[in-house]
């Protein structure tokens, strides 16, 4: 199983030539290493959406329509896709809910962040997500501040955790280090930085601090790079 980082908060989990996407953001993403046509040419079985901001849902509709991938998200986000985009390949969930699909499971967890669904600015809830696949657990925090519910994730035995480090709109490096201490993942990957000027951040500072404190193994991935589990 290969976990590919495509820049910003876009993560692809690929196994046996089938992919699950988390927060696909290609159009308007200056860091993305892959095109929309290339993604749509893959066998995409599911798209997980953490919340409704444009840099997390922007390309989900066209990918779902072209590949028939099922969109899995919180109830409000799914209703948005149904009402405004006529999507039918959807599955709605909510915070702390878990559902088993054919060969993977999804659990949504708390995030502290705005959840409005753009561009219509409909109300919604921000979340993080845990993807269970091939006896591994991959945590994607979405956009979030540091919060104490992260301590509950230590009981999940997370194999890989993707955490935002950009500050300003989410937790910055210092709070992200504390999040690693709470979550206790085997591997942590920083995300959600450098895409725009306001979110410039140095992932090597985060990695050095995590490793020096012996909190986890930190992998800093450039867009297109991956982890093999």
């Amino acid at each position: 199983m290969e976990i590919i980082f495509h820049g910003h908060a876009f993560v692809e989990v690929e196994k046996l030539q089938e992919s699950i996407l988390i927060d696909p953001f290609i159009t308007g993403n200056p860091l993305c290493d892959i095109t929309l046509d290339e993604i749509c040419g893959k066998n995409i079985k599911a798209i997980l959406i953490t919340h409704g901001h444009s840099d997390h849902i922007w390309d989900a509709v066209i990918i779902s329509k072209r590949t028939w991938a099922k969109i899995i998200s919180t109830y409000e986000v799914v209703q948005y896709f149904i009402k405004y985009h006529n999507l039918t390949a959807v599955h709605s969930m909510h915070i702390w809910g878990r559902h088993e699909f054919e060969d993977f499971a999804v659990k949504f967890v708390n995030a502290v962040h705005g959840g409005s669904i753009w561009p219509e600015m409909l109300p919604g809830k921000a979340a993080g997500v845990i993807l269970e696949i091939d006896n591994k657990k991959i945590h994607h925090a979405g956009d979030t501040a540091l919060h104490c519910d992260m301590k509950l994730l230590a009981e999940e035995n997370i194999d890989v955790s993707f955490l935002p480090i950009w500050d300003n709109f989410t937790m910055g490096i210092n709070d992200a280090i504390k999040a690693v201490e709470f979550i206790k993942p085997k591997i942590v990957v920083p995300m959600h930085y450098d895409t725009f000027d306001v979110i410039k951040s140095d992932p090597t500072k985060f990695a050095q601090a995590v490793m020096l404190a012996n909190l986890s193994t930190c992998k800093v991935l450039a867009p297109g790079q991956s982890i093999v589990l």
Side-chain angles (χ1 to χ4, degrees):
M1 181 169 60
E2 186 176 12
I3 306 171
I4 309 164
F5 178 58
H6 289 300
H8 200 61
F10 179 14
V11 175
E12 176 184 2
V13 180
E14 186 176 51
K15 179 190 174 188
L16 300 176
Q17 296 185 328
E18 292 183 328
S19 292
I20 296 173
L21 309 182
I22 307 175
D23 287 357
F25 175 40
I26 301 170
T27 305
N29 179 359
L31 299 184
C32 193
D33 64 292
I34 195 166
T35 68
L36 195 54
D37 284 341
E38 287 171 334
I39 279 290
C40 290
K42 293 189 174 190
N43 185 3
I44 309 298
K45 63 192 305 182
I47 304 169
L48 313 184
I49 303 294
T50 61
H51 65 295
H53 289 174
S54 59
D55 54 333
H56 296 259
I57 68 168
W58 199 255
D59 294 295
V61 171
I62 191 168
I63 295 170
S64 180
K65 286 185 174 180
R66 288 174 60 177
T67 67
W68 288 99
K70 184 186 295 292
I71 290 181
I72 304 168
S73 190
T74 57
Y75 179 82
E76 292 83 1
V77 171
V78 166
Q79 291 303 307
Y80 161 78
F81 284 128
I82 293 171
K83 180 177 179 179
Y84 288 86
H85 297 283
N86 299 312
L87 294 184
T88 57
V90 294
H91 182 92
S92 59
M93 298 179 62
H94 234 304
I95 310 299
W96 301 116
R98 181 181 180 276
H99 186 81
E100 292 189 4
F101 296 88
E102 183 178 351
D103 57 356
F104 65 95
V106 173
K107 182 176 185 177
F108 281 92
V109 297
N110 195 27
V112 177
H113 188 68
S116 298
I117 303 166
W118 294 355
E120 285 79 6
M121 298 304 292
L122 303 172
K125 177 73 177 71
V129 67
I130 297 172
L131 170 64
E132 302 174 36
I133 182 170
D134 201 23
N135 296 315
K136 301 293 184 182
K137 290 187 178 182
I138 301 156
H139 168 244
H140 186 293
D143 285 0
T144 188
L146 179 68
H147 57 87
C148 287
D149 280 359
M150 289 176 173
K151 293 181 180 180
L152 299 173
L153 301 185
E155 300 176 7
E156 296 282 350
N157 296 315
I158 302 295
D159 291 284
V160 182
S161 180
F162 285 82
L163 298 179
I165 64 165
W166 69 342
D167 222 344
N168 195 76
F169 293 113
T170 69
M171 58 187 176
I173 288 176
N174 290 337
D175 282 352
I177 293 166
K178 193 70 176 177
V180 178
E181 184 180 338
F182 286 172
I183 298 167
K184 304 186 188 312
K186 296 179 181 69
I187 299 171
V188 63
V189 182
M191 66 171 184
H192 223 289
Y193 61 90
D194 283 1
T195 319
F196 312 110
D197 287 341
V198 74
I199 60 171
K200 293 290 184 181
S201 190
D202 186 353
T204 61
K205 291 182 179 179
F206 172 74
Q208 289 170 355
V210 167
M211 299 291 279
L212 285 173
N214 199 30
L215 298 175
S216 178
T217 297
C218 186
K219 302 285 188 180
V220 177
L221 302 179
Q225 291 185 328
S226 63
I227 297 170
V228 176
L229 294 181

